[in-house]
Amino acid sequence: ENADVVDCSANVRSPCRSSVEAFWDGFQSFDARIVHSSSRNIPLLKLKDWPAKTDFKSVMPDHYVDLMAHLPLRDYTHHEGLFNLSARLPSGYVRPDLGPKMYIAYGTAVMPCSTTNLHLDVSDAVNVMVHVTVPTATTPEGIEILNQDRTNIERVIERQSPDIRKRCRSRIPGALWHIYSATDADKIREFFRRSETSNSALDPIHDQCYYLDDALRQQLRHQMGVVGFEIVQCLGDAVFIPAGAPHQVQNLNSCIKVAEDFVSPEHVAQCVSLTDEFRYLTEEHNNHEDKLQISSIIYHSVKEAVAALLPVPST
């Protein structure tokens, strides 16, 4: 079986067809990873939209049931959750695709290479780390890089709070997140547009063309007063990302994450604002269309709430 694979270490992240079997071999073993013949760099691969032809529920029905049963804050995150406004859409509607979606990728802490560049989403999301693998290696080159990985992961853990450090000692660290307030999105855009490397034709966030490494995060704080939240996601951890919050991810080890989107009452206004903002993107952009159907969600949520508040007519 072949699938679309993206090399996260490349400057241009264009998907290419590759063997799924070869990807999984490299997921577990550094020695099995394909080396670029020209640069000798080790690629950091990510499976794009896999499985591509069918949804998560159809491919892994047992895992789907287990995931839905164990999502945190199920009143918000479950498809039929009381506070998940997307659940208010009538059964006759084609509901928006809110997941779950799998994110499967290699990782490294040797260099500041993002698994997912800085971007934001139109809805809220919960991201669960369901599997982490520390790759093995037998070649001198592989052993050296994996030892560097362990050293750099330790440095990331050491700058966390005591509680986080304690948790990371008992679980396998999988990914490093940086999440910013939705209200800081325009400041982040302005920060990139002031940069000499910025392309004025691009939206620095919507086009996912930047990763804020340590140096850029320091500049962002000093120049714009913007400070985000740094989160080390270990095996079994769930990370909540509010609608409109710019965020980026760097896998520290090989990871499988599962994300479920939802529409909370607290952030529905942000969903409306972002939907309007996305309309001004080019037609070729992935977020140009209103895939969330936020107007219909609000209409049926209000309709259901008003019906519940009105007195029942006496017979």
Side-chain angles (χ1 to χ4, degrees), residues 20-72:
V20 173
E21 181 180 1
F23 173 88
W24 284 115
D25 288 341
F27 187 87
Q28 302 175 78
S29 170
F30 185 89
D31 300 331
R33 297 183 183 181
I34 304 168
V35 179
H36 289 309
S37 57
S38 58
S39 63
R40 302 298 297 171
N41 288 336
I42 303 297
L44 290 171
L45 303 183
K46 174 171 66 174
L47 274 182
K48 181 176 174 60
D49 300 329
W50 186 85
K53 296 181 180 179
T54 50
D55 60 18
F56 186 98
K57 183 178 181 180
S58 300
V59 176
M60 303 177 181
D62 293 339
H63 291 298
Y64 172 83
V65 172
D66 188 50
L67 176 70
M68 289 294 108
H70 292 89
L71 282 175

Side-chain angles (χ1 to χ4, degrees), residues 95-149:
R95 293 196 174 186
D97 181 14
L98 299 178
K101 303 179 183 72
M102 286 196 293
Y103 296 88
I104 309 171
Y106 302 171
T108 183
V110 173
M111 54 183 176
C113 180
S114 71
T115 308
T116 304
N117 279 343
L118 190 72
H119 71 290
L120 57 80
D121 297 310
V122 71
S123 61
D124 304 288
V126 57
N127 186 294
V128 183
M129 182 71 73
V130 297
H131 179 82
V132 181
T133 290
V134 179
T136 60
T138 57
T139 63
E141 180 188 24
I143 293 172
E144 180 183 358
I145 293 181
L146 288 182
N147 286 337
Q148 292 177 21
D149 263 342

